[in-house]
Amino acid sequence: MLYTARAPKPSAELDFGLLWLALGLLAVGLVMVYSASLAIAEAARYTGYNGEFYLLRQGIFIALGVGVGIAAFQVPMRVWQQAAPYLFLAGLLLLVVVLIPGIGREVNGSRRWIPLGFANLQPSELMKFLAVLYAADYTTRKAAFMHDFKKGFLPMAAVMILAGALLLREPDFGAFVVIVSIAMGILFLGGLNWKVFAGLIVVLMIGFALLIFTSEYRMQRILGFMDPFADPYGKGYQLSHALIAFGRGEWLGLGLGGSVEKLFYLPEAHTDFLLAVIAEEFGFIGVAMVIALFAWLIVKAFLIGHRAAQLERNFCALVAQGIGIWLGVQALINMGVNVGLLPTKGLTLPFLSFGGSGIVANCLAIAVLLRIDWEHRQMMRGKTF
């Protein structure tokens, strides 16, 4: 039940704990991307690269993300709510555009990127942020119908099925899982009937199983995940080398730069498998600290959502909690893949992995969280929005 009990007036304008937490994760990511990519960049000197290529690119992405975040922080939450359906529609259009031959860029059989000259735009990363806004706005508008399967759930399901179909055409199964998790989580937090929710979980599990068993490449990933050392030079190559990296790191790791697996053994060391490099260089302690930082971030997102709910700002509450679900699910999947608990999904580790679209989307999420919290602090001082 929502209530409006007054809390003590905050002493600061911003939640600097959240800000420094996000900047800390970005800084750790910058250092580890440099460490994980140095050998790859050095080996590609003949193409015009240098050892600092990925470091400089990641630094530019972080600067761009911070700039976009600063701009996003200036936007009131009521404007985000009004724009949510239109932003989501724009995201769907980008998912269509990326599938057009000659426009979308294909890498390793997946068409997920739109070349912009200086960088590549990955629409599926931005769709995670836009899905949070849209699902929160929809749930707020349809609050009176959340117990009605036909009026409350089906319209949202139709929209998410459309977005999911476009993502699976790329294919980007990982982004599909994250966006479905966001939508389902926000609907549940917004009051969706628990019986309907439980039934949908069963249906989704059956649907995911069908998607796996009807796709050869997804089936091969499952087989490689179940026993990576049965085919260490084939289906299990990535996971087997990730597990070797974890084993070599032991408790304290080999030290920054000491990873051997990043030297052309572990594919995607600076993107999908960055955590394995962290494990090899900083050991169990380093991985535990990364997990603790993400846990702290997710808790702060839900606390911000709880404070917004206390002030009956339902849209803001659901956005904050939706961001917590998004970052939590994506981080959990990436970590699960790295340690062999989940099959390879192609999902990056938020804030840490190399990639421009992901960094910008993550910075947008933090900016909106800070904005929600800032508006809450202003309301505690008697101002309204």
Side-chain angles (χ1 to χ4, degrees):
M1 181 178 294
L2 298 174
Y3 56 93
T4 58
R6 286 284 181 178
K9 291 185 178 181
S11 59
E13 288 288 324
L14 278 179
D15 183 344
F16 286 101
L18 173 61
L19 179 61
W20 285 113
L21 174 57
L23 292 176
L25 283 169
L26 290 171
V28 170
L30 184 64
V31 172
M32 292 312 304
V33 163
Y34 181 42
S35 176
S37 66
L38 183 59
I40 302 171
E42 286 284 357
R45 277 185 177 276
Y46 68 91
T47 62
Y49 286 23
N50 57 53
E52 291 73 38
F53 175 80
Y54 291 101
L55 171 68
L56 294 174
R57 298 273 289 184
Q58 187 75 345
I60 292 171
F61 294 151
I62 290 174
L64 178 61
V66 170
V68 170
I70 291 172
F73 179 79
Q74 312 303 319
V75 180
M77 289 309 299
R78 58 179 172 77
V79 175
W80 283 115
Q81 184 172 8
Q82 293 165 358
Y86 307 104
L87 291 173
F88 189 78
L89 179 60
L92 289 176
L93 291 175
L94 285 175
L95 291 181
V96 172
V97 170
V98 78
L99 295 174
I100 300 174
I103 297 180
R105 180 187 176 193
E106 185 172 337
V107 178
N108 297 328
S110 298
R111 192 184 298 275
R112 302 178 186 176
W113 300 270
I114 300 174
L116 299 178
F118 63 94
N120 296 315
L121 173 65
Q122 189 173 353
S124 59
E125 290 291 343
L126 295 179
M127 275 301 292
K128 297 167 189 173
F129 173 70
L130 301 180
V132 169
L133 294 179
Y134 179 76
D137 173 58
Y138 174 88
T139 305
T140 302
R141 286 187 288 106
K142 298 284 187 176
F145 303 106
M146 280 296 104
H147 290 281
D148 190 316
F149 178 81
K150 183 177 180 181
K151 294 181 180 180
F153 173 75
L154 283 183
M156 170 64 81
V159 172
M160 289 303 163
I161 288 172
L162 174 59
L166 293 171
L167 288 168
L168 292 175
R169 286 288 297 169
E170 296 185 7
D172 194 341
F173 187 69
F176 171 65
V177 171
V178 172
I179 287 176
V180 168
S181 300
I182 291 168
M184 291 294 296
I186 289 178
L187 284 173
F188 179 72
L189 291 169
L192 183 67
N193 185 287
W194 72 268
K195 293 180 181 178
V196 173
F197 183 79
L200 292 171
I201 294 296
V202 174
V203 171
L204 284 173
M205 292 176 66
I206 295 172
F208 286 146
L210 289 174
L211 286 172
I212 291 169
F213 288 114
T214 57
S215 172
E216 179 64 24
Y217 92 94
R218 293 191 191 107
M219 194 65 194
Q220 291 302 316
R221 284 189 172 185
I222 292 293
L223 294 175
F225 145 74
M226 293 176 67
D227 188 3
F229 292 101
D231 187 11
Y233 297 104
K235 296 187 293 289
Y237 184 80
Q238 277 183 307
L239 179 54
S240 62
H241 281 281
L243 294 176
I244 291 170
F246 273 87
R248 282 174 52 81
E250 297 185 351
W251 285 97
L252 298 176
L254 304 174
L256 181 61
S259 170
V260 173
E261 286 300 317
K262 69 185 182 185
L263 304 178
F264 310 105
Y265 295 104
L266 179 62
E268 311 297 338
H270 59 302
T271 54
D272 300 358
F273 285 88
L274 188 66
L275 187 68
V277 178
I278 294 174
E280 190 175 3
E281 296 189 349
F282 294 98
F284 173 82
I285 299 301
V287 173
M289 289 183 65
V290 169
I291 294 173
L293 289 173
F294 274 104
W296 186 16
L297 177 62
I298 294 161
V299 168
K300 289 189 77 67
F302 274 87
L303 287 176
I304 289 171
H306 176 67
R307 285 194 289 268
Q310 287 181 312
L311 295 171
E312 298 185 0
R313 306 181 72 215
N314 295 345
F315 172 74
C316 294
L318 292 173
V319 167
Q321 293 163 349
I323 289 172
I325 293 170
W326 158 26
L327 297 177
V329 168
Q330 183 164 335
L332 182 64
I333 291 174
N334 178 273
M335 292 174 184
V337 167
N338 273 253
V339 299
L341 293 176
L342 294 171
T344 305
K345 288 287 192 299
L347 280 174
T348 57
L349 190 59
F351 300 100
L352 273 69
S353 294
F354 178 80
S357 299
I359 292 294
V360 169
N362 298 155
C363 289
L364 272 172
I366 295 299
V368 169
L369 278 177
L370 287 168
R371 177 72 195 195
I372 294 170
D373 182 72
W374 180 83
E375 290 188 4
H376 167 76
R377 291 166 186 256
Q378 299 306 306
M379 292 181 74
M380 290 294 96
R381 292 184 168 92
K383 298 182 181 179
T384 57
F385 292 90

